[in-house]
Amino acid sequence: MNVTGSYYDLGVGEPIKDFILRDSGDEIAFDIQHSDGYYYTVNIKRHQGTLFKGTAISQPDGETATLTCRVFEDIEEGIMVIAGSGWRYAFKPDNYRWHVELQRE
């Protein structure tokens, strides 16, 4: 399946790389080369309904963020939206909101 998309935070779109959809859509993985200079590998799994939870691992330092999001999909249009409500690091009190838009080519 060919998919294109972008990751957004602070209104800046970052290209999604190596998108993988597994287990009938219950698991999603992708990579982001972020403008902050880090490369992130994101893995999320369905927790309940549209609620997904997972992790983002940054490179080169290997820090892990805990993620919470909702995944919405329009199969007929080939569109998926991931609305991230949580991106938290254990050593920081901050929570970052994030957003991903994907569209089948």
Side-chain angles (χ1 to χ4, degrees), residues 47-65:
H47 184 68
Q48 181 179 33
T50 61
L51 178 64
F52 282 64
K53 295 183 177 185
T55 60
I57 300 173
S58 65
Q59 295 300 325
D61 58 10
E63 293 177 347
T64 300

Side-chain angles (χ1 to χ4, degrees), residues 75-92:
I75 295 170
E76 289 180 17
E77 295 294 324
I79 297 170
M80 180 183 289
V81 174
I82 303 173
S85 57
W87 185 301
R88 294 179 176 92
Y89 292 97
F91 57 89
K92 292 182 183 176

Side-chain angles (χ1 to χ4, degrees), residues 29-89:
F30 56 89
D31 295 325
I32 307 163
Q33 179 65 54
H34 197 277
S35 60
D36 65 3
Y38 288 92
Y39 186 85
Y40 296 91
T41 297
V42 174
N43 288 292
I44 54 174
K45 292 183 182 181
R46 188 180 309 274
H47 184 68
Q48 181 179 33
T50 61
L51 178 64
F52 282 64
K53 295 183 177 185
T55 60
I57 300 173
S58 65
Q59 295 300 325
D61 58 10
E63 293 177 347
T64 300
T66 302
L67 307 180
T68 306
C69 59
R70 296 274 178 182
V71 177
F72 304 100
E73 185 174 16
D74 184 331
I75 295 170
E76 289 180 17
E77 295 294 324
I79 297 170
M80 180 183 289
V81 174
I82 303 173
S85 57
W87 185 301
R88 294 179 176 92
Y89 292 97

